[in-house]
Amino acid sequence: MTTKNSSRRNILPSIVLISSLLVTSCAAGSGSQAGSENAGATSAGIDETTLPEGVEIDFWHIQATIYGEAITEMVEEFNATNEWGIVVNESFKGSYQELNQAVRASLAGGGSPDVTMAYENDTLEYLANDVIVPLDPYLESEKYGVTEEEIDDMVDGVLARQRVDAYNGSTLSWPHGNSSMGMYYNADLFKKAGIEAPPADWDEFMEQARQMKEETGLPYVALGTGKNGIYYNIMRSKGTTPYDPEAGTTEFASPVSIEALELLAGLYEEELAYTAADTEQEFTNERTASEIGTTARTSTKIEQIGDRFDWTVALTPQESEEPVTQLFGGNHVILASDDSEQELAAWLFMRWFAGTDAQAIYAARTGYSPAVESALETELLTTNYEENPQKAAAFENVFVNAQIMPPTAAGNAIDDMVTGVVEEVVLGRLTPQEAADRMDAEATTLLASAPQN
Amino acid sequence: MAIQSIARDQRDSTDSSKPAARTSTPSSDELGRWRRRAGRVILYLLLAAGAAIMLFPFFWMVSSSLKTFQEVNLSPPTLFPADPQWSNYADAWTAPPSGFARYFLNSLLVAVVGTSLQLFTGLTAAYAFARMKFRFNNLLFVIVLATMMIPFEAKIVPNYVLIRQIPLTGGNDLLGAGGSGLYDTYAGMILPGVASAFAIFLLRQAFMAIPRDYWDAVRMDGASHWTFLWRVLIPMTMPAVLTVVLFGFLARWNELLWPLIATQSESIRPVQLGLMSFSGDEGSLYHLLMAATTLVAIPGIIFFLFVQRRFIEGLTAFGVKG
């Protein structure tokens, strides 16, 4: 009898503990994944929509520091001036990776933002999950769309990335404001070494590097730890796109790739280049004559360098008819909701953000270049570029030539792999031929295993 | 005869060495003392060097917090700020939209309430595992321990779904639909961490180290489990309890990713997210970041100093090292 009672009494702690375990393990609930119920929205249907006053939308982004302050200022401006009374609630969500984690969680549990920043790889992922709103009906809407002039006003590379091949003819994103890969150079040091202008091609780049070392004893260029960017840039400047996600092929084993790797290996072997975690510090502290990096850092360089030396930013060397460099940064996308008014309000905010006035604010406050050329004509940006000629150079010399790499779900994995292999080359552990063969084999496998849309 | 002679010689030689040994005794003692002193000096020097290495990041943080934007980016860096910028602290304090005071309050609330709840669940679960006999006791404990092996990243989505779909909160209906649940609330930040396998493990080990005789004694006086836990076990295992409190508090104070995902409103976010406003994909404002980091580190350091001795006792006494 006692044993039986004791057993009954002892059931209670078991139940309590099992309940605790359930709380601890936090089992996934039945996620209410947003479906793109309005994916079939038409321009005519959108035109008929009358937006009620005070629609609230959530906007998630990755911008902190001066970029975050600029976003706050722009959102406040939009909230105060938009004719529909739309209220945008902006929220900083960390890095792109953390933002993507937050979006994934929200897609599973509800509460996804109306507008979020996203790279093409993320956009492809959202497309595969049917949670992204195609923008073409909005673009074509008579009442809420954009005109041909507005489209033509957009910088070529920025417009192209909103409707890449992988989107199957749709426009899935709209500009946020971007940067590009440029070559910052110390004009005083160049003059000291007897160099008149930045290099036009890679042979001249190598010659100048040797000349700089000989005349000043300084290395010619500082490169970051992620070597995939400069390697892609050399290949693309020679007219070769490193890989083709649709065909599943790569050019990593091509003669152009070998040339690029030999160039990089030579720069390191002759101690004309070196790797730095923070290339900006190397450049601003005059430990190198040039730096290859993102033009987003132009504004911070202006502040750090002051009038200590003369410098500017140029396009990296080019050897093909169409100059090209890397385009960095994300876009805006609309995540599907079951409310067409929310989606329309999201589009109107995105349209405003990519417009002349907003892009002028963004480019004036930060190191980003404007997505539309008309922003250059605004008083705000005209004054800002006059006061900061390096920012104007970043736009005119570099940004207008920037194009993204072909997007693929395997993009990040390929970038990591290429960075690792190129590092082995500059350290002398692999020959360019060995590296090329390895990159070709590994990238082909990665492309084949990536879920393409 | 020869053998006797050798033996005598040996004895003589032994005898002759005796006075010499007597005269050398004070100098060996001195040598020993000198060696001990030298050893101690070396030990202190090593400890001082270790302490200096450990303290250097703090020194660097404070030094950088007083530099200008230009100076903090100089290379080679300056050890001390050329012209201390005390205004960096004021700038960092006021830079985020809600100000750092708000972030501090938010963090304090989340850390204190979260740690209290975690301690409560830890104490009661550990008591059950250590002191009560019931079916599947060991199996359940192993399962609790196993949850420590699930990386936090793997729990983000389930945790998010859980707080978002808690019934009858944030406009949710009985089935957890229709509203935002505990998303963007203090409760949403606190709830996923209230049951900690580490706390349960540490407290269980501590409770099991207390002889059963104590239970028999208080039981004779008619005490309940709760009285035994509250009056006997907790006071006797205070180092372990404080260790759980310290770990819990610091974990919440330093939490970054979960509040980032579980909140949207800037006004309820904790200090670690406040620090992120000085560092982004396009560069960092190191001088303000270091000023803000110094301010954020102070409560944790003060708390650690208060419970330091008990904390170390807790770690060493109950088999948790490093």
Side-chain angles (χ1 to χ4, degrees):
Chain A
M1 186 67 185
T2 314
T3 314
K4 204 173 178 181
N5 282 342
S6 169
S7 297
R8 277 182 189 159
R9 264 204 318 273
N10 292 342
I11 288 171
L12 186 63
S14 297
I15 293 169
V16 171
L17 281 167
I18 288 167
S19 307
S20 300
L21 280 171
L22 286 173
V23 174
T24 319
S25 60
C26 289
S30 54
S32 60
Q33 182 162 315
S36 55
E37 287 180 23
N38 297 303
T42 61
S43 300
I46 290 165
D47 281 338
E48 284 165 20
T49 308
T50 306
L51 216 53
E53 182 81 12
V55 173
E56 282 198 38
I57 59 166
D58 291 335
F59 166 43
W60 290 2
H61 61 84
I62 58 114
Q63 302 296 9
T65 66
I66 53 170
Y67 292 83
E69 287 167 15
I71 294 260
T72 304
E73 183 184 337
M74 292 159 74
V75 166
E76 282 172 3
E77 173 81 10
F78 177 77
N79 287 348
T81 59
N82 80 84
E83 62 185 280
W84 308 277
I86 298 166
V87 178
V88 178
N89 301 310
E90 53 117 350
S91 185
F92 167 64
K93 287 287 179 180
S95 65
Y96 276 106
Q97 194 187 352
E98 287 156 349
L99 170 66
N100 184 249
Q101 276 179 320
V103 170
R104 283 173 188 220
S106 71
L107 290 172
S112 54
D114 300 284
V115 179
T116 182
M117 284 184 71
Y119 260 108
E120 283 74 13
N121 296 352
D122 303 323
T123 307
L124 286 171
E125 182 191 324
Y126 303 148
L127 180 66
N129 288 292
D130 195 24
V131 292
I132 200 158
V133 177
L135 302 181
D136 303 279
Y138 294 95
L139 287 164
E140 290 156 14
S141 157
E142 277 186 25
K143 198 171 170 185
Y144 302 111
V146 292
T147 62
E148 279 300 316
E149 289 75 36
E150 285 171 317
I151 296 277
D152 291 343
D153 186 29
M154 208 164 277
V155 174
D156 291 345
V158 175
L159 178 62
R161 72 182 301 186
Q162 318 305 329
R163 36 180 73 153
V164 294
D165 293 344
Y167 296 167
N168 299 323
S170 293
T171 306
L172 295 184
S173 61
W174 209 236
H176 171 81
N178 293 151
S179 62
S180 47
M181 180 181 272
M183 179 177 170
Y184 295 99
Y185 66 94
N186 183 326
D188 288 347
L189 278 175
F190 267 45
K191 199 188 264 182
K192 195 174 169 188
I195 301 167
E196 285 178 5
D201 58 38
W202 293 104
D203 284 342
E204 196 181 352
F205 184 90
M206 198 70 181
E207 281 165 25
Q208 288 189 359
R210 288 181 181 129
Q211 196 174 330
M212 181 63 68
K213 185 82 178 173
E214 208 174 293
E215 298 294 330
T216 67
L218 281 174
Y220 180 66
V221 64
L223 300 173
T225 47
K227 301 270 183 333
N228 59 308
I230 179 65
Y231 166 69
Y232 293 155
N233 226 25
I234 299 172
M235 283 185 75
R236 297 175 82 193
S237 71
K238 291 170 181 281
T240 300
T241 304
Y243 51 79
D244 180 349
E246 279 197 36
T249 56
T250 91
E251 294 293 332
F252 290 138
S254 69
V256 170
S257 168
I258 307 276
E259 270 177 47
L261 292 168
E262 282 172 349
L263 175 76
L264 288 168
L267 282 167
Y268 278 79
E269 205 175 303
E270 295 183 41
E271 296 180 352
L272 307 173
Y274 67 106
T275 303
D278 188 344
T279 52
E280 182 168 73
Q281 278 209 359
E282 302 302 304
F283 182 73
T284 57
N285 286 289
E286 298 179 81
R287 303 213 300 198
T288 172
S290 71
E291 172 204 353
I292 293 182
T294 167
T295 52
R297 295 290 187 94
T298 310
S299 53
T300 48
K301 279 188 180 61
I302 290 169
E303 206 170 330
Q304 284 184 52
I305 296 169
D307 54 6
R308 283 191 288 127
F309 60 87
D310 188 20
W311 65 281
T312 191
V313 57
L315 187 63
T316 46
Q318 300 294 321
E319 295 183 3
S320 69
E321 284 179 11
E322 272 190 46
V324 66
T325 189
Q326 301 288 99
L327 179 59
F328 299 130
N331 306 300
H332 290 153
V333 297
I334 300 179
L335 294 177
S337 71
D338 51 6
D339 186 340
S340 60
E341 288 167 357
Q342 291 283 128
E343 290 182 0
L344 177 57
W347 159 249
L348 291 169
F349 171 64
M350 271 169 48
R351 188 184 70 166
W352 178 85
F353 201 104
T356 305
D357 293 338
Q359 286 295 304
I361 297 174
Y362 209 16
R365 300 277 181 270
T366 69
Y368 278 168
S369 292
V372 288
E373 299 202 20
S374 58
L376 299 172
E377 290 154 23
T378 60
E379 195 186 333
L380 176 67
L381 204 53
T382 306
T383 312
N384 185 262
Y385 275 12
E386 275 170 12
E387 289 168 358
N388 304 289
Q390 293 91 350
K391 287 175 74 174
F395 181 85
E396 289 158 17
N397 299 340
V398 187
F399 190 67
V400 292
N401 299 299
Q403 300 273 352
I404 57 161
M405 288 279 289
T408 163
N412 292 339
I414 293 177
D415 288 351
D416 290 345
M417 180 274 293
V418 168
T419 288
V421 175
V422 174
E423 197 65 48
E424 298 274 299
V425 173
V426 301
L427 291 171
R429 292 178 189 155
L430 280 180
T431 65
Q433 184 65 57
E434 287 168 343
D437 292 340
R438 190 196 286 185
M439 286 194 290
D440 182 52
E442 291 190 23
T444 305
T445 308
L446 287 167
L447 285 172
S449 61
Q452 299 295 332
N453 297 285
Chain B
M1 183 67 187
I3 294 168
Q4 283 174 345
S5 167
I6 291 166
R8 193 170 54 243
D9 287 346
Q10 280 181 340
R11 198 165 51 242
D12 290 345
S13 116
T14 313
D15 288 345
S16 64
S17 71
K18 275 180 185 169
R22 267 187 222 114
T23 53
S24 72
T25 304
S27 64
S28 328
D29 287 351
E30 215 166 273
L31 193 69
R33 270 202 301 276
W34 186 86
R35 275 185 183 155
R36 277 196 297 278
R37 276 183 196 157
R40 198 168 293 170
V41 168
I42 290 169
L43 179 69
Y44 282 135
L45 282 175
L46 284 172
L47 287 172
I53 291 169
M54 300 297 279
L55 284 173
F56 188 76
F58 287 94
F59 163 75
W60 194 247
M61 175 176 76
V62 176
S63 171
S64 300
S65 73
L66 295 171
K67 293 176 181 174
T68 61
F69 178 66
Q70 286 78 14
E71 191 181 3
V72 83
N73 286 294
L74 278 183
S75 178
T78 53
L79 202 57
F80 297 98
D83 178 19
Q85 304 289 308
W86 296 103
S87 60
N88 284 349
Y89 283 89
D91 293 345
W93 189 259
T94 54
S98 297
F100 249 86
R102 179 80 199 187
Y103 291 143
F104 264 91
L105 277 177
N106 294 339
S107 276
L108 205 61
L109 182 77
V110 169
V112 170
V113 175
T115 306
S116 305
L117 290 172
Q118 187 190 77
L119 185 64
F120 179 76
T121 59
L123 284 169
T124 48
Y127 184 83
F129 280 129
R131 293 285 165 179
M132 298 173 90
K133 286 181 184 170
F134 54 90
R135 272 186 197 177
F136 311 123
N137 181 323
N138 286 334
L139 176 68
L140 287 169
F141 182 63
V142 168
I143 294 171
V144 167
L145 284 187
T147 63
M148 288 171 78
M149 285 186 274
I150 303 171
F152 174 74
E153 286 72 15
K155 292 191 281 188
I156 286 177
V157 173
N159 279 338
Y160 182 88
V161 173
L162 188 76
I163 63 154
R164 189 91 206 178
Q165 298 179 357
I166 286 188
L168 305 175
T169 59
N172 278 347
D173 59 21
L174 204 57
L175 297 173
S180 57
L182 296 178
Y183 176 72
D184 205 24
T185 64
Y186 292 111
M189 276 192 278
I190 293 167
L191 186 68
V194 296
S196 158
F198 172 74
I200 295 169
F201 165 74
L202 190 71
L203 292 169
R204 173 188 179 264
Q205 299 306 100
F207 291 167
M208 286 178 79
I210 305 299
R212 195 165 178 83
D213 299 348
Y214 285 96
W215 167 239
D216 295 336
V218 294
R219 210 175 165 195
M220 294 275 284
D221 294 338
S224 64
H225 281 296
W226 180 250
T227 309
F228 180 57
L229 171 67
W230 188 246
R231 296 275 174 82
V232 180
L233 281 185
I234 292 176
M236 290 184 81
T237 57
M238 194 49 84
V241 173
L242 286 177
T243 303
V244 167
V245 170
L246 184 69
F247 269 116
F249 185 88
L250 290 182
R252 273 162 193 78
W253 189 262
N254 293 326
E255 212 165 35
L256 174 75
L257 189 55
W258 177 244
L260 187 71
I261 285 172
T263 63
Q264 161 128 350
S265 306
E266 199 254 344
S267 60
I268 71 157
R269 288 183 155 182
V271 285
Q272 300 301 332
L273 292 192
L275 292 180
M276 286 183 86
S277 59
F278 303 112
S279 182
D281 262 28
E282 308 298 1
S284 302
L285 303 170
Y286 288 115
H287 57 310
L288 296 181
L289 180 63
M290 288 299 110
T293 306
T294 305
L295 295 171
V296 169
I298 289 170
I301 293 170
I302 292 172
F303 190 60
F304 178 77
L305 291 176
F306 269 113
V307 297
Q308 181 184 15
R309 194 168 59 85
R310 293 298 186 95
F311 172 67
I312 293 163
E313 282 173 16
L315 285 182
T316 49
F318 304 109
V320 181
K321 290 173 184 170

